[in-house]
Amino acid sequence: MFKYCAHIQIKCLTALFAGLLLQFSLPVQAFPQGDAAKGKKLYEQGVGHNGEPVYAVGQNGLTFQGEDATCLRCHRRSGFGGSEGGYYVPPIAAGFVYRPSRRDRNDRFRAAFLEAQNIQHWVRVRMPRARPAYTTATLAEALREGRNPSGTEFDQLMPRYRLDDRDVANLAAYLATLSKAASPGVDDHFLHIATVVSHGVEPGARDSMLASMQAYVKWYNERLYSDIAHESSARAYGMDVRSSTRLWKLHVWELDGRQEKWRDQLALYQRQQPVFAVVNGMVNGSWAPVADFCDEMELPCLFPLTELPQRERESGGYNFYYTRGLELEADILGVYLKNMRNRPERVIQLHDTSRYGVEPASRLAGQLAARLPEIRIRTIAFDTPQELEMLLRGLGERNEPDVGIVIWGEPDSDSILKALLHSGVKDSPVFVPAHVIRKRMTRNNGDLLSPLLGNLHITWPFSLPQAYQADAFRVRGWMRSRGLPINHEQVQLLSHYGMNVLRDSTRHLFEHYYRDYLVERIEHEVESSQHPGIYPSFSLGPEQRVMSKGGYVLTPDATGENAFNVAADWIVP
Amino acid sequence: MLRSSLISAGVALVLFVTISYVPAGAQAHNQPEYARSAHAYRTPAVSLIDAREHTVDFAAAVAQEEMVIISLAFTSCTGTCPVITANLVQALPELKRIGNRYRIFLVSLDPEHDTPARLREYQARFNTGEKITLLTGSRTAIHDLLRAYNAIYPGGNKMNHQPLTLIRAGKNAPWIRLEGLVSGSDLAREVRLAIEQAGAISTIY
């Protein structure tokens, strides 16, 4: 073992010495003054100073250009690199490129110990990488020839770039700024996080979410205090990570008034005390104003409890969601109708005038027009529950089996279910989103739903009601031991999960508290995270922002054995 | 009984040749770029979906081809997958010279994100052509496929996958497993070698 370590050290010293020699022996080359803004364009978009796509040659003559040749693809927006496919991509942010590489365990601790990687990755992370600080000249050589200032050849995954001196200078200028200043919301002692609640949300659910989050922060800080008080015996690696740990402070950002006013309120909160990330949260109506603010401020907003997420972006940005909400349910229904054996010839959509009604109705109409042009669809808006009852009663009187009835409306209201139960609709298939029935989820709902047995269909973007949720058992225990009554289980389990993801992701950051880096760690780690099973599984990837991507269609169970039967297995539209 | 013994002997011979084989690229750079081994995998009977939204019976699709190459990637992957895909495309002209009775299956590791529409975009981006079939499917089907080829990624996280190429050079040939990035020319050379070895086995029994 000693012999091996000595060998590695000799290799490091030799490489360092060779690097120093190389540096002094390089002809002095004058590079033009770099433009960091143009360097950023090259880094992120693969566009050179002349507006042309950059060009690079990879393994065995493979060529890449423009978007396929950006630095961002592997080294990521933060410049902290990462790991993927068993390859270790080293950091190239300002704090790394322009200083000699040092043997700092923390810098490689994440890649070496916190990820379940294969043996090739394990070896790559531990390879000696001693080198002096880069200069523009050695950076040019690294980019063009694939050699670091010590003369070590880069891995085959790093292409060799055809860049002129101006592009190299621009990139060098940008790298000197990349992730240089720590993101707002972190100081030497505290990591500030916020959650967002608005007026008009169900008070019980809001209080349960806040209580769960406050209990989590208290628990987290107590553990940290304990580590600080017992440095030598602190959990894992205690002493070395102390400098990178922060106590958490939770801020509750309460919004009121019309949604148009929310941006100013959020900006005021952020000015008073900047936060590093927003976690969980619930608002009345669309999450879009909060999501826009988070994108504008480049502030990670993690897992709001919403059915109306901001979906203007196909990918990227700073907002992570559990699902696409009601848009997903409309898409699931579109696929289900397409595959349905006794498909209705006509569909009548009834929706209220809130965004919970209008948005999914418009989405489904678009889906059916594109996928099933043979189905005639009619969409009717209603203003009040009485109006809905009247419309449904009319449809109940006609009771046509070839007419499908779809109803969209505000959540947390029994009005849709009540109107349906009294409508007399027996033969027409009826389709509703999960929130219409979710609160009535009991094993023996056969009696309640008996008037609708055989024709009610529910889109269900969650785990099956009868699924066993192992981690939920553990989290419920955690909550009970802290005296938290479990009265809004889904909200509480998901709130706890959001905090867990933040904890695990920030653990990967060590002292590098950069918001872009946090986003990248979440993208990377969510698939490995323990979750309470509200959704069957989570996965993300680079620039992906929605963790659960499908859903079931359920029908009430006539036997009372289960709450519901599965009419369609997991659909990913 | 005799037949199965002969097949086992054939596989053992291939394994022996494999173990003693060092890829040419490895010699040139004095470090192995990928690891090679031979295996007897059972192709899983899973139902997948191609980029045209057609259902593909994977076992039947593999069985009907004389030679099959399987690789794994996902469309949002930014590091190795573009290289894996570009390498496959780079190998196509050389593979055409070797013979045209083959198919490459590029299977998604991120099936719920990689819808057929995304596969079509990916096809267009890399100009994968007719010989490379991109496949996605249900989470369970992809998991079954990965398990059958001993390709489950560490930690249940696709971000920890590693580049993998499988070659089956003849209907009764063993699977040649290449772990690591395999360039287009290395892939063509491996295919030639796999065909030679498959020929050696078929002459035994």
Side-chain angles (χ1 to χ4, degrees), chain A residues 83-88 116-124 157, chain B residues 33-35 37 41 70-74 77 79-81 84 106-107 109 146 149-155 157-166 177-182:
Chain A
S83 47
E84 191 257 290
Y87 285 83
Y88 169 63
Q117 290 279 4
N118 57 42
I119 188 75
Q120 288 87 346
H121 180 268
W122 194 88
V123 170
R124 285 181 183 119
L157 205 57
Chain B
E33 292 173 0
Y34 56 86
S37 53
Y41 297 126
I70 298 174
S71 196
L72 310 166
F74 58 101
C77 155
T80 53
C81 303
I84 291 168
L106 184 57
V107 181
L109 291 167
L146 297 181
Y149 292 116
N150 190 21
I152 298 285
Y153 28 75
N157 188 340
K158 67 178 175 295
M159 301 298 282
N160 302 339
H161 77 106
Q162 67 168 335
L164 176 67
T165 311
L166 300 164
R177 180 186 180 95
L178 308 175
E179 290 181 47
L181 284 174
V182 183

Side-chain angles (χ1 to χ4, degrees), chain A residues 73 85 314 524 527 540, chain B residues 78 112 118 157-158 160-161:
Chain A
R73 295 189 77 84
E314 181 62 26
H524 196 285
E527 202 162 317
L540 287 175
Chain B
T78 53
E112 297 205 340
R118 285 207 173 88
N157 188 340
K158 67 178 175 295
N160 302 339
H161 77 106

Side-chain angles (χ1 to χ4, degrees), chain A residues 107 297 304 445:
Chain A
D107 282 346
M297 294 287 150
N445 57 21

Side-chain angles (χ1 to χ4, degrees), chain A residues 39-54:
Chain A
K40 183 175 192 222
K41 203 166 178 188
L42 193 156
Y43 186 96
E44 293 186 351
Q45 298 169 32
V47 177
H49 66 88
N50 51 8
E52 294 293 317
V54 298

Side-chain angles (χ1 to χ4, degrees), chain A residues 59-62 64 68 72-74 76 83-87 115-118 120 124 155-157 314 338 371 523-528 536-537 539-542 544 547-550 570 572-573, chain B residues 31 33 35 53 74-83 86-87 90 109-115 118 125-126 139 153-163 179-186:
Chain A
Q59 180 198 27
N60 202 38
L62 284 181
F64 300 93
D68 288 331
L72 179 139
R73 295 189 77 84
C74 295
R76 313 305 314 277
S83 47
E84 191 257 290
Y87 285 83
E115 292 178 7
Q117 290 279 4
N118 57 42
Q120 288 87 346
R124 285 181 183 119
D155 199 282
Q156 56 181 334
L157 205 57
E314 181 62 26
K338 188 179 176 196
R371 289 167 179 262
E523 285 174 355
H524 196 285
E525 288 304 312
V526 151
E527 202 162 317
S528 309
S537 70
S539 76
L540 287 175
Q544 290 187 38
M547 301 201 295
S548 180
K549 300 170 177 82
W570 190 254
V572 181
Chain B
Q31 59 177 23
E33 292 173 0
E53 305 194 27
F74 58 101
T75 62
S76 68
C77 155
T78 53
T80 53
C81 303
V83 179
N87 279 335
Q90 193 189 38
L109 291 167
D110 190 8
E112 297 205 340
H113 181 259
D114 290 344
T115 55
R118 285 207 173 88
R125 186 175 142 209
F126 288 95
R139 213 170 46 231
Y153 28 75
N157 188 340
K158 67 178 175 295
M159 301 298 282
N160 302 339
H161 77 106
Q162 67 168 335
E179 290 181 47
L181 284 174
V182 183
S183 69
S185 55
D186 283 344

Side-chain angles (χ1 to χ4, degrees), chain A residues 382-512:
Chain A
F382 60 87
D383 287 317
T384 60
Q386 294 74 23
E387 210 175 317
L388 173 64
E389 275 188 34
M390 200 179 70
L391 285 165
L392 282 173
R393 232 178 268 128
L395 291 167
E397 282 163 15
R398 290 207 294 278
N399 214 14
E400 298 161 296
D402 60 344
V403 174
I405 302 167
V406 182
I407 311 171
W408 305 104
E410 285 211 61
D412 304 321
S413 152
D414 270 348
S415 56
I416 292 177
L417 189 59
K418 278 182 191 157
L420 261 176
L421 290 169
H422 297 110
S423 64
V425 174
K426 281 197 176 64
D427 298 321
S428 302
V430 177
F431 307 91
V432 294
H435 66 230
V436 168
I437 208 78
R438 193 163 171 80
K439 286 194 167 174
R440 302 299 193 109
M441 293 292 291
T442 57
R443 187 166 289 263
N444 299 309
N445 57 21
D447 293 342
L448 171 74
L449 299 175
S450 56
L452 297 168
L453 280 179
N455 66 337
L456 181 65
H457 300 73
I458 305 135
T459 48
W460 192 256
F462 304 104
S463 296
L464 290 173
Q466 54 266 41
Y468 173 67
Q469 301 174 350
D471 199 48
F473 182 78
R474 188 183 62 78
V475 179
R476 278 195 296 266
W478 184 94
M479 292 199 175
R480 288 202 180 97
S481 68
R482 278 155 190 83
L484 291 172
I486 298 180
N487 39 24
H488 289 80
E489 181 168 305
Q490 181 180 336
V491 168
Q492 289 168 290
L493 293 180
L494 292 178
S495 304
H496 185 274
Y497 174 76
M499 300 297 269
N500 252 353
V501 171
L502 182 70
R503 182 196 62 172
D504 291 346
S505 310
T506 49
R507 202 159 61 107
H508 283 212
L509 303 184
F510 283 91
E511 65 262 38
H512 307 301

